[in-house]
């Protein structure tokens, strides 16, 4: 069908959808995100159903540290912005800028993960362990699933950066970066719901 | 039009199905032979919906048979190219609107009966209040206002609403008395509320209708419907401790040593196993064996062989001890 | 085929993609977040109002991000939009079930 | 072209293990799904043998429950779904005039994940016992962990379904993108054959329904393996939550199953009555509507849970509404046949038999949708009768119809028509014998999932007839096997267009060459091939000059990845996390290899095309 290779430096304007393969990849990824909506939706449903089920053990209101959460939120929002910059660099065909912004995004993602690990260990010290109550189980599952998504994103983007150091920016790598950007935004969007529903509403209490 | 005459041929079929439906099964367990108002309402809904469905099926079958016979390619037919019809708005509107109308006819009673049959009669002065707790694989019945508890045999007065509050002690079960009405699930940690009523005095069969483990198939119970006077007598008897004859004293001791940890034998006792107060007048042993001494022995000797996976352990006892136990159990009238 | 739609919208998208828009949506996001945290920490608000208020802020922020950062407002995103909306509908019915019917 | 790497070409077994060709993957799905269908069928026969007479002691207690559970789970997830995927793979790219699916590699991965999920589930028979909590795995029964840890039961269900479910999900995405992006020029949405439309909607349902069961299974797994408390009432959990999650997935799942069957019937009925499909656009609309409404009705499986009258009533009405678009389909089929010249090939016999049988099952479905009456039906053999009427009398008849119809295209061989008719009549009569009496059994007080029933209350005759019927269905299936095996030994004899077909798959040789279309066809209307034939053309007008064709390279990574997942699953089950880590490492390694080494594929040059067209 269409040529599947970039020819040297001259990339078409929208490199990510310049080939059928690229177009497929972007479309497929969007649809995947639709499925992810249901995935997180059902996780939220479980959490909301169980959020006040704390027969014994700490409630969210008692343990949540809004300071840490605010910091995490700030970091993740910023990383979303840097990933937008990366996508813009992609569209302008500026490889080094793209890699730089993606690199910063990854670092911010790592900071976020670090904070999350810190936060979870704090909670565990206060007796809020996974098997303590239905609230605890659903909390760790929901927030942990999000964390796992961040971790996967960090790993994936790092790999992308490394492999494109060698391969450069082509119509093969461009869709991958574009899609990674979408993924990162999606993670950010999910976090908006998490800090609202889990932490802030949790702090408000039953 | 000529072809609609085919439809009339199906009327006898329609009637036959209805007859079949009302004549089926044993009259203490069939949903088709209702013995109380709730089951009657439900049978009405079944018949109404079945009637509509038979109408639909008959129409479809009639067109189907006609089409297949009329338009099949017969031997020797020349290959022709039929007219390539795109569709027909009139027809399509007909088969969209008619089903909608049929469904509306069904929807109205559906909603009204759904509301009616979920009325809560727990605080109704005239209703008898029963708390049902399902266990793997037996049923426990408490009458909070009357201060008694029993198991396996649900005793109720005929002609009165029985307001059930049902729950479960372990896994999900469902409480079902086909002759009296539909089932409800027993959920762990929650209660469901519903009511049933029996027309007259008889013994009905009850079933567990939710997969609950190895002996789900054997989790039967009996519903003994009595006249109001008999029911009151039964309540009194349950409240008076049974008199243990001298030859059963031995068994009583064995029971105290081995069984009392799980089985209560007084009016209100609840335990890990069924309350055995009034056991001697129960219809069945463990819900499924016929009530006689052989069955009781068989049960005590090896409960697992009767109901796989049930929670009563095999208690190491001599044959004569078991005989004594049976004597004691027989005295629990 | 949808390929045509894609190429035709490509030109538009480029123009919209100035960094200004992105700073704007970033600042809006941060502001909305700060308002939300502040509302909870302030503490004096009616509980029901607060819950609705927080949900509202969250939804606004998400819509904003979808529109600007994920380019949902651009043309040529028919299937992604349908996909996400349908996913969201299913997710919402699931949440509704969680809220209303698990503990009735 | 510059980058025409010479691809590795495997032969024999390696060819099948590494293939990314959608036609071969289709065959793999068909064979694997077929084997699981036999497994599920044998389990069904054993169930029926136990129920032949009351008070039998052949399979009792949890052995029986395991048979029921495995029968339902195997049939739904590992027989019906993969056979549907088989036809989607074999036919959809051909019908839209594409050379391949959007993601050939992902396609292979989907197959292997499904396959190892199924293998994992079935190893339970040898590793301490199969799951026995029903295919619905209602908690708390499904959460009970054997304290001696020798019986893992539901763990197999959870992990097997999780692995297979992932495969199905990516398969669904693959077909969505294929249909959105890969259609030949002129193949607009409203010219797509109905089977492709149903494949499209079904894939969408997969995309939105499977994540729900994924989450449900994760929660069940956390509860069982890591002491979680989702469904543990003592810690505040809630068992009804599982029911919601399962049915939010489970109801759309039944439409995932039936919609492709609807598509198959549409194709066959129209081909063999030599007419275009009556009311094509309303058929498309009805399919989409069924798919949409399918997400709004799940509570009809939970009427007796205690949701309350308002919830029950709302979901009852929503459920009934589905009868309307389904009815539109039924009548459109009838009027497609009307005025046609109907040929009763085996494929068409199965397809036309589908119509009344499915209507019987569908109408009992509407009866079930009446909550107060469902209190009586629920969890009885009435429900068993309902869903076997729609599944066996609907889906399975549809799949057999599709098998007879597309067999020549998939394998290049015509199936024997006489054996086909024997197959049909034994299976069809057996089917009605098995499941018609079950309506009455249910109403007469026989709950489902029971290993025995009481004598003397009128249940004996029904159960007896039912078991005999099951044997007849078994005989029918064996006749089908004989048919396929005996034709497989004959030389290929199928012409490109054996049925005077209407859609694009009949425009190319049987079986098609690996690149499907030498030149992408130009589509000029609904039923494109028929249109060309009517215009007097022998073949499709090409939309492009003959040129070099790009093909994806075969890869062993999908297989290895799935094996990694399989190993990781066992690690979790036996709490030996070293094994899990090894498994996950294998998976990550595969992902790494895949992302580091781009697949440039290879090209088939114009001069190779003519001679290649002959062999598969
Ligand atoms: C392929 C699978 C399939 C299909 C297509 C259907 C189709 C339908 N199903 Fe079925 N169902 C199952 C598979 C399926 N089901 C399974 C597996 C279970 C049990 C799960 C378990 O518990 O293990 C189940 C259980 C089930 C229940 C729960 C019963 C219970 O457990 O108590 C209900 C209740 O409403 C129901 C309803 C329906 C309805 C209304 C339809 C409708 O879609 C049917 C629509 C079709 C028609 C109505 C016929 C054609 C229409 C016309 C000719 C037009 C005119 C018609 C009218 C005016 C009525 N089904
Ligand atoms: C796609 C789905 C599907 C299919 C096709 C079938 C097919 C059949 N089912 Fe189905 N069934 C379910 C899905 C399906 N079922 C589900 C979901 C349940 C609920 C499970 C639960 O409660 O959890 C169920 C439950 C169920 C029950 C109720 C069990 C119970 O509640 O205790 C029964 C009982 O009769 C039954 C019977 C049958 C029969 C006789 C067939 C027949 O049509 C099968 C015909 C096929 C064959 C007979 C195979 C032929 C092969 C051979 C004879 C062997 C040859 C062998 C070699 C060459 C190796 N099934
Ligand atoms: Cu209790 Cu089944
Ligand atoms: Cu359903």
């Amino acid at each position: 069908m269409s040529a599947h290779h970039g020819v040297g430096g001259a990339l078409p304007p929208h490199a990510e959808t310049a080939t059928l393969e690229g177009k497929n990849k972007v479309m497929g990824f969007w649809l995947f995100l639709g499925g992810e909506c249901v995935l997180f939706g059902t996780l939220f449903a479980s959490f909301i159903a169980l959020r006040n089920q704390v027969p014994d053990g700490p409630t969210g209101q008692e343990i949540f540290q809004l300071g840490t959460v605010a910091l995490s939120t700030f970091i993740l929002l910023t990383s979303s912005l840097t990933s937008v910059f990366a996508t813009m660099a992609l569209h302008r065909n500026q490889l080094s800028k793209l890699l730089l912004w993606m690199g910063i995004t990854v670092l911010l993602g790592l900071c976020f993960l670090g904070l999350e690990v810190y936060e979870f260990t704090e909670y565990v010290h206060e007796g809020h362990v996974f098997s303590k109550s239905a609230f605890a189980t659903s909390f760790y599952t929901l927030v942990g699933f999000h964390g796992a998504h961040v971790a996967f994103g960090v790993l994936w983007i790092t790999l992308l950066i490394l492999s494109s150091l060698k391969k450069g920016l082509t119509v093969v790598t461009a869709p991958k970066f574009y899609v990674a950007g979408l993924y990162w935004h999606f993670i950010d969007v999910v976090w908006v719901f998490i800090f609202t529903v889990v932490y802030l509403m949790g702090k408000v209490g039953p | 039009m000529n072809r609609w005459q085919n439809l009339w041929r199906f009327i006898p079929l329609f009637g036959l199905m209805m007859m079949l439906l009302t004549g089926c099964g044993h009259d203490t367990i069939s949903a088709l032979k209702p013995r109380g108002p709730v089951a009657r309402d439900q049978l009405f809904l079944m018949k109404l919906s079945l009637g509509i469905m038979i109408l639909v099926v008959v129409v479809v079958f009639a067109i189907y048979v006609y089409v297949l016979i009329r338009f099949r390619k017969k031997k020797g037919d020349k290959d022709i190219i039929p007219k390539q019809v795109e569709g027909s708005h009139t027809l399509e509107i007909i088969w969209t609107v008619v089903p909608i109308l049929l469904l509306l006819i069904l929807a109205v009673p559906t909603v009204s009966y759904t509301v009616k049959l979920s009325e809560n009669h727990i605080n109704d002065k005239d209703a008898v209040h029963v708390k049902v707790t399902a266990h793997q694989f037996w049923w426990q019945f408490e009458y909070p206002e009357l201060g008694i508890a029993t198991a396996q045999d649900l005793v109720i007065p005929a002609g009165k609403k029985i307001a059930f509050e049902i729950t479960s002690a372990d896994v999900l079960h469902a409480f079902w008395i086909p002759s009296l009405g539909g089932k409800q699930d027993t959920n762990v940690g929650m209660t469901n509320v519903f009511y049933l009523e029996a027309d007259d005095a008889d013994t009905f069969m009850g079933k567990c209708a939710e997969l609950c483990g190895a002996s789900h198939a054997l989790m039967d119970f009996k519903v003994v419907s009595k006249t109001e006077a008999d029911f009151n007598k039964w309540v009194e008897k349950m409240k008076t401790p049974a008199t243990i004859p001298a030859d059963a004293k031995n068994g009583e001791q064995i029971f105290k040593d081995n069984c009392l940890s799980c089985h209560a034998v007084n009016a209100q006792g609840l335990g890990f196993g069924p309350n055995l107060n009034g056991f001697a007048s129960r219809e069945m042993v463990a819900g499924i064996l016929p009530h006689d001494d052989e069955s009781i022995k068989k049960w005590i000797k090896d409960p697992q062989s009767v109901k796989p996976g049930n929670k009563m352990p095999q208690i190491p006892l001599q044959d004569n001890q078991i005989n004594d136990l049976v004597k004691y159990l027989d005295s629990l009238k | 085929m949808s390929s045509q739609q894609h190429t035709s919208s490509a030109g538009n998208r480029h123009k919209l993609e100035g960094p200004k828009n992105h700073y704007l949506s970033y600042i809006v996001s941060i502001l909305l977040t700060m308002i939300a945290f502040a509302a909870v920490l302030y503490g004096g608000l009616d509980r029901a109002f607060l819950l609705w208020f927080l949900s509202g802020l969250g939804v606004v922020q998400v819509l904003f991000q979808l529109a600007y950062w994920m380019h949902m407002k651009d043309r040529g995103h028919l299937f992604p939009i349908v996909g996400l909306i349908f996913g969201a509908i299913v997710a919402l019915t699931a949440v509704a079930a969680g809220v209303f019917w698990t503990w009735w | 072209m510059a980058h025409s790497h010479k691809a590795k070409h495997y032969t024999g077994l390696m060819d099948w293990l590494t293939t990314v060709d959608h036609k071969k993957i289709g065959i793999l799905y068909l064979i694997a799904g077929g084997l699981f269908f036999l497994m599920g069928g044998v389990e069904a026969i054993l169930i029926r043998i136990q129920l032949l007479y009351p008070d039998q002691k052949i399979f009792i207690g949890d052995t029986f429950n395991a048979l029921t559970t495995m029968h339902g789970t195997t049939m739904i997830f590992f027989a019906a779904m993969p056979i549907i995927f088989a036809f989607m793979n074999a036919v959809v790219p051909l019908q839209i005039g594409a050379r391949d699916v959007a993601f050939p590699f992902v396609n292979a991965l989907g197959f292997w994940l499904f396959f190892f999920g199924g293998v994992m589930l079935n190893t339970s028979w040898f590793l301490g016992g199969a799951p026995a909590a029903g295919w619905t795995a209602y908690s708390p029964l499904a959460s009970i962990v054997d304290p001696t840890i020798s019986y893992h039961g539901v763990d197999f269900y959870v992990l097997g379904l999780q692995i297979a479910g992932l495969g199905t999900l990516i398969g669904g995405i693959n077909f969505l993108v294929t249909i959105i992006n890969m259609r030949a020029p002129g193949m607009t949405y409203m010219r797509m054959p109905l089977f492709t439309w149903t494949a499209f909607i079904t894939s969408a349902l997969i995309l939105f329904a499977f994540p729900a069961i994924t989450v449900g299974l994760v929660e069940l797994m956390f509860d069982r393996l890591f002491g979680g408390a989702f469904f543990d009432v003592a810690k505040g959990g809630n068992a009804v939550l599982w029911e919601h999650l399962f049915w939010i997935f489970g109801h759309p799942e039944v439409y995932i199953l039936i919609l492709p069957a609807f598509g198959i019937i549409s194709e066959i009925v129209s081909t063999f009555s030599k007419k275009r499909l009556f009311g094509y656009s309303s058929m498309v609309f009805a399919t989409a509507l069924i798919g949409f409404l399918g997400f709004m009705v799940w509570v009809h499986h939970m009427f007796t849970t205690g949701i309350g009258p308002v919830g029950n009533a709302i979901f009852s009405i929503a459920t009934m509404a589905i009868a309307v678009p389904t009815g539109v389909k039924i009548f459109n089929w009838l009027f497609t046949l009307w005025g046609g010249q109907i040929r009763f090939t085996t494929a068409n016999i199965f397809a036309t038999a589908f119509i009344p049988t499915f209507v019987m099952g569908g109408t009992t479905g509407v009866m079930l949708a009446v909550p107060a009456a469902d209190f009586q039906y629920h969890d009885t053999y009435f429900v068993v009768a309902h869903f076997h009427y729609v599944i066996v009398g609907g889906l399975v008849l549809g799949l057999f119809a599709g098998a007879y119809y597309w067999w020549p295209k998939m394998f290049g061989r015509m199936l024997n028509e006489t054996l086909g008719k024997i197959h049909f009549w034994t299976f069809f009569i057996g089917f009605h014998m098995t499941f018609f009496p079950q309506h009455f059994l249910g109403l007469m007080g026989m709950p489902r999932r029971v290993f025995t029933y009481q004598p003397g209350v009128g249940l004996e005759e029904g159960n007896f007839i039912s078991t005999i019927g099951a044997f007849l269905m078994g005989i029918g299936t064996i006749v089908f096997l004989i048919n396929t095996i005996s034709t497989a030994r004959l030389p290929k004899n199928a012409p490109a267009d054996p049925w005077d077909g209407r859609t694009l798959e009949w425009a190319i040789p049987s079986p098609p060459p690996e690149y499907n279309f030498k030149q992408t066809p130009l589509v000029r209307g609904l039923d494109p091939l028929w249109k060309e034939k009517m215009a007097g053309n022998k073949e499709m007008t090409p939309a492009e000059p003959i040129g070099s064709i790009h093909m994806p390279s075969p890869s062993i990574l999908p297989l290895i990845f799935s094996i990694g997942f399989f190993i990781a699953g066992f690690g979790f089950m036996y709490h030996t996390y070293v094994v899990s880590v090894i498994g996950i490492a294998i998976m990550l390694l595969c992902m790494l290899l895949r992302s580091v080494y781009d697949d440039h594929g290879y090209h088939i040059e114009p001069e190779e095309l003519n001679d290649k067209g002959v062999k598969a």
Side-chain angles (χ1 to χ4, degrees), chain B residues 32-145:
Chain B
L32 301 172
K33 293 189 169 168
R35 302 289 300 277
V38 174
R40 246 190 317 278
D41 284 351
Q42 288 167 337
L43 186 63
F44 165 75
L45 278 175
M46 289 183 197
K47 284 184 180 166
L48 175 73
S49 55
L50 182 71
I52 296 177
M53 297 314 141
I54 289 182
L55 192 74
V56 170
V57 168
V58 164
V59 170
V60 170
F61 277 30
I63 304 178
Y64 176 78
V65 171
Y66 174 77
V67 165
L68 289 198
I69 293 175
R70 169 78 179 66
F71 297 107
R72 77 179 188 282
K73 185 178 174 191
K74 293 167 210 83
K75 270 213 188 72
D77 274 2
K78 280 202 299 292
D79 275 338
I80 49 147
I81 293 187
K83 193 155 154 264
Q84 303 290 309
V85 192
E86 215 173 290
S88 152
H89 283 300
T90 338
L91 282 175
E92 286 180 45
I93 289 173
I94 292 177
W95 61 59
T96 313
V97 172
V98 172
I100 292 181
L101 293 179
L102 290 178
L103 290 176
L104 282 178
I105 296 175
L106 182 57
V108 174
T110 295
V111 174
S112 73
Y113 277 99
T114 302
V115 173
K116 177 180 167 197
L117 296 184
S118 64
E119 281 165 18
N120 183 341
H121 287 282
I122 295 293
N123 298 320
D124 189 336
K125 287 272 161 336
D126 295 331
V128 176
H129 178 190
V130 181
K131 278 185 168 170
V132 179
T133 310
H135 299 253
Q136 273 176 328
F137 301 96
W138 58 281
W139 298 89
Q140 168 185 312
F141 305 107
E142 294 164 72
Y143 302 72
E145 279 78 22

Side-chain angles (χ1 to χ4, degrees), chain B residues 3 17 20-21 24-26 28-32 38-39 42-43 45-47 49-50 53 56-57 59-61 63-64 66-68 71-74 77-88 91-92 95-97 99-100 103 106-108 110-111 113-115 117-118 136 170-172 174 176-190 192 205 207-218 220 222 284 305 308, chain D residues 57 60-62 65 69 132-134 136 138-141 144 233 238-240 243 273-280 282 303-309 312-313 316-317 320-321 323-324 327-328 330-332 334-335 337-344 352-357 359-360 363-364 366-367 369-380 436 440 442-454 456-458 502 527 530 534:
Chain B
R3 60 175 173 275
M17 291 286 284
L20 218 61
L21 258 193
C24 260
H26 197 269
T28 60
I29 187 178
S30 176
L32 301 172
V38 174
Q42 288 167 337
L43 186 63
L45 278 175
M46 289 183 197
K47 284 184 180 166
S49 55
L50 182 71
M53 297 314 141
V56 170
V57 168
V59 170
V60 170
F61 277 30
I63 304 178
Y64 176 78
Y66 174 77
V67 165
L68 289 198
F71 297 107
R72 77 179 188 282
K73 185 178 174 191
K74 293 167 210 83
D77 274 2
K78 280 202 299 292
D79 275 338
I80 49 147
I81 293 187
K83 193 155 154 264
Q84 303 290 309
V85 192
E86 215 173 290
S88 152
L91 282 175
E92 286 180 45
W95 61 59
T96 313
V97 172
I100 292 181
L103 290 176
L106 182 57
V108 174
T110 295
V111 174
Y113 277 99
T114 302
V115 173
L117 296 184
S118 64
Q136 273 176 328
D170 35 46
V171 301
L172 303 188
W176 187 31
I177 309 163
S179 303
L180 302 187
K183 61 189 75 63
Q184 289 286 311
D185 291 0
T186 64
N187 296 324
V188 196
M190 302 175 208
N192 275 337
M205 297 184 207
K207 293 261 168 196
C208 172
E210 182 67 66
L211 179 61
C212 53
S215 276
H216 158 64
L218 306 177
D220 291 358
K222 282 282 175 327
M284 296 274 162
S305 72
Chain D
K57 296 254 159 29
I60 60 167
D62 268 343
N65 294 345
T69 305
T136 49
Y138 275 15
S139 207
L141 184 62
I144 296 174
V233 173
N238 188 317
V240 177
E243 296 183 29
S273 52
K274 282 206 182 176
K275 277 181 68 203
R276 71 172 265 163
L277 197 61
F278 193 91
Y280 171 85
S282 63
F303 284 149
T304 63
T305 303
I307 297 296
N312 279 358
S316 157
I317 306 294
M320 290 180 188
V324 177
V328 167
I330 300 283
F331 290 109
N332 276 329
L334 289 177
F335 279 80
L337 291 163
W338 190 292
Q341 193 183 39
I342 309 170
R343 284 172 294 157
F344 286 104
T352 44
F354 169 101
I355 298 172
T357 320
V359 169
M360 289 174 71
T363 45
T364 52
V366 179
M367 292 172 70
V370 178
D374 182 65
F375 293 169
Q376 286 282 23
Y377 310 131
H378 178 69
D379 263 330
T380 68
F436 193 73
F440 298 96
L443 296 173
M444 282 151 53
M446 181 164 167
R448 58 193 281 209
R449 296 162 169 175
V450 292
F451 63 79
T452 190
Y453 47 92
Q454 253 171 315
V457 292
R502 313 170 68 86
D527 292 341
W530 179 261
M534 287 301 109

Side-chain angles (χ1 to χ4, degrees), chain D residues 63-94:
Chain D
T63 316
F64 182 88
N65 294 345
L67 282 176
T68 307
T69 305
M70 290 294 281
H71 163 68
T73 314
T74 305
M75 281 296 197
I76 299 266
F77 293 97
F78 300 106
M81 295 280 294
I83 296 177
I84 287 166
F85 264 94
F87 291 132
M88 279 165 52
N89 267 292
V91 176
V92 167
L94 305 185

Side-chain angles (χ1 to χ4, degrees), chain A residues 4-5 20 23-24 28 31 35 38-39 42-43 46 50 53 55 130-131 133-134 137-138 141 152 159 167 172 176, chain D residues 3 102-103 176-177 181-182 207-208 211 215 219 222 226-230 235-237 245 591-592 595-596 598 600:
Chain A
H4 63 105
H5 262 233
L20 182 62
K23 225 177 293 179
N24 286 346
L31 293 172
V38 180
L39 187 98
T42 35
L43 282 169
S46 309
L50 301 175
Q53 295 310 111
F130 181 75
S131 54
S133 62
T137 309
S138 60
T141 307
F152 181 80
L159 256 177
K167 293 179 195 162
V172 178
K176 295 188 181 173
Chain D
H3 291 275
F103 308 111
L176 284 172
V177 179
N181 278 353
M182 311 270 288
L207 175 62
F208 298 116
V215 169
E219 295 182 353
F222 283 1
F226 310 125
F230 282 109
K235 290 177 182 170
L245 292 180
M591 279 151 86
L592 184 76
S595 70
V596 172
D598 290 323
H600 298 302

Side-chain angles (χ1 to χ4, degrees), chain D residues 247 250-252 254-255 294 297-301 319 386:
Chain D
W247 289 117
H251 187 81
V254 309
Y255 294 120
V297 301
W298 79 88
V299 170
H300 68 216
H301 296 274
T319 304
H386 155 67

Side-chain angles (χ1 to χ4, degrees), chain B residues 17 20-21 24 32, chain D residues 48 360 380-386 388-389 428-446 458-470 473:
Chain B
M17 291 286 284
L20 218 61
L21 258 193
C24 260
L32 301 172
Chain D
R48 290 302 337 158
M360 289 174 71
T380 68
Y381 263 80
F382 190 86
V383 176
V384 176
H386 155 67
H388 284 91
Y389 260 81
F428 189 71
I429 294 171
F431 161 76
H432 282 286
M433 278 174 70
T434 311
F435 298 112
F436 193 73
Q438 291 185 354
H439 294 107
F440 298 96
L441 293 178
L443 296 173
M444 282 151 53
M446 181 164 167
L459 301 176
E460 287 101 327
E461 298 82 3
N463 275 297
F464 184 80
I465 299 173
S466 185
T467 303
I468 303 299
M473 273 194 279

